[in-house]
Amino acid sequence: MTKFDEATQAIRVDESTYDVCLDPGYAIGGPLNGGYLMAVILRAVVDSSPFEHPVSTTSQFHRSPAAGPARVVVEQLKAGRTVAFTRATLVQDGVAQIESLVTTATLGDAEPAYADKAGYVMPPPEECVKLPDPRPESNMTLNARMEMRFDPPTVGWLKGEPTGRPESRAYFRLTEPQDPDPYVLALAVDALPPVVFSAGARGWAPTVDLTWHLRALPAPGWLTLIGGGRLISDGWFDEDVEVWDSAGRLVAQSRQLARVGRG
């Protein structure tokens, strides 16, 4: 079991309840990363489901749970021959923190009837850049859990040279060797810096609602994350992310609605 597997482990208490322990190693300046929290929830949902894979997840982030003990409460809404629907709530100190609706199914390895190509071709990883290590007092512990190599134009904001467009692109993998799986993909879809950084905004940008789809089981190796946005308005922005595996297949898609960063 890897450190990520341990950090997302859900222990069954009864038919509808799972104990979890939220790991402080996945913090982004204080709050825990939303993708990590979804991975924790999905461990419980898949364990309670007759199917193996979380093919669609919609999560609403009511609060920012703290590191430490929590529970995932699952409610089976409907199960058919090929798909099941579950409501899952992450609860801490008796208060609902995140509400999720999850669709589970079992994906195969059949060749797709149609497969689009990536709309943007990344430079090779050796031509991409690593962000500077955060200061210890920043509590950006997530950075130590994953390795990312960024397409240089999308991190110009580090030097005060944002492109003016909401965008972010990078290669992604966990620091500890581990082949990507659906739970790693849950982390990956929320791993990029907020795309509004490249448009000139800064500060923590809290996610309000995030939906992502598992489209295929990923091949080993680097994942490629392509992120962009369509509208920044009235303190809100959207962020779309495509995740492509090392075999050039689209393996995950996400869209989130978030608040523009403060500070």
Side-chain angles (χ1 to χ4, degrees):
M1 181 178 289
T2 67
K3 292 179 180 178
F4 179 73
D5 291 340
E6 291 179 355
T8 56
Q9 187 175 204
I11 299 173
R12 186 184 181 99
V13 176
D14 56 39
E15 290 185 355
S16 62
T17 309
Y18 289 79
D19 279 342
V20 299
C21 187
L22 304 180
D23 193 312
Y26 294 84
I28 46 172
L32 297 173
N33 173 264
Y36 162 70
L37 294 168
M38 287 194 302
V40 173
I41 292 169
L42 292 176
R43 291 282 189 190
V45 170
V46 171
D47 184 80
S48 69
S49 170
F51 302 106
E52 297 181 31
H53 304 125
V55 297
S56 181
T57 302
T58 296
S59 295
Q60 293 185 336
F61 295 80
H62 300 175
R63 296 172 178 82
S64 297
R71 284 194 159 181
V72 178
V73 179
V74 298
E75 177 189 356
Q76 303 303 330
L77 301 177
K78 182 181 179 181
R81 290 182 297 174
T82 60
V83 66
F85 304 93
T86 305
R87 177 181 290 115
T89 306
L90 180 67
V91 179
Q92 192 172 59
D93 298 327
V95 178
Q97 307 285 317
I98 301 171
E99 296 275 2
S100 298
L101 291 174
V102 184
T103 303
T104 51
T106 298
L107 298 180
D109 57 1
E111 288 295 319
Y114 172 82
D116 203 358
K117 301 292 185 181
Y120 181 87
V121 179
M122 286 277 287
E126 58 270 18
E127 296 180 14
C128 293
V129 298
K130 180 181 181 295
L131 295 186
D133 291 332
R135 298 186 302 273
E137 64 270 20
S138 69
N139 197 31
M140 291 287 292
T141 57
L142 176 64
N143 291 52
R145 298 294 189 268
M146 60 189 190
E147 185 177 359
M148 300 185 76
R149 295 289 182 270
F150 288 86
D151 191 12
T154 67
V155 288
W157 49 268
L158 277 172
K159 299 179 180 179
E161 300 172 355
T163 64
R165 299 182 301 274
E167 58 185 355
S168 188
R169 298 183 291 270
Y171 293 100
F172 169 95
R173 64 187 177 189
L174 296 182
T175 304
E176 182 181 16
Q178 178 174 349
D179 290 340
D181 61 16
Y183 308 104
V184 173
L185 290 178
L187 175 63
V189 297
D190 197 38
L192 289 168
V195 294
V196 288
F197 282 12
S198 195
R202 298 299 291 268
W204 178 50
T207 299
V208 175
D209 184 281
L210 192 157
T211 295
W212 78 279
H213 303 308
L214 171 66
R215 304 308 312 277
L217 300 179
W222 284 104
L223 297 171
T224 300
L225 314 182
I226 308 292
R230 302 294 297 276
L231 178 68
I232 305 169
S233 177
D234 199 24
W236 295 87
F237 72 97
D238 59 272
E239 178 173 310
D240 293 338
V241 175
E242 295 178 352
V243 184
W244 300 78
D245 71 1
S246 61
R249 299 179 306 163
L250 180 65
V251 294
Q253 299 165 284
S254 73
R255 167 166 285 186
Q256 66 173 282
L257 183 67
R259 298 291 288 165
V260 174
R262 299 182 294 275

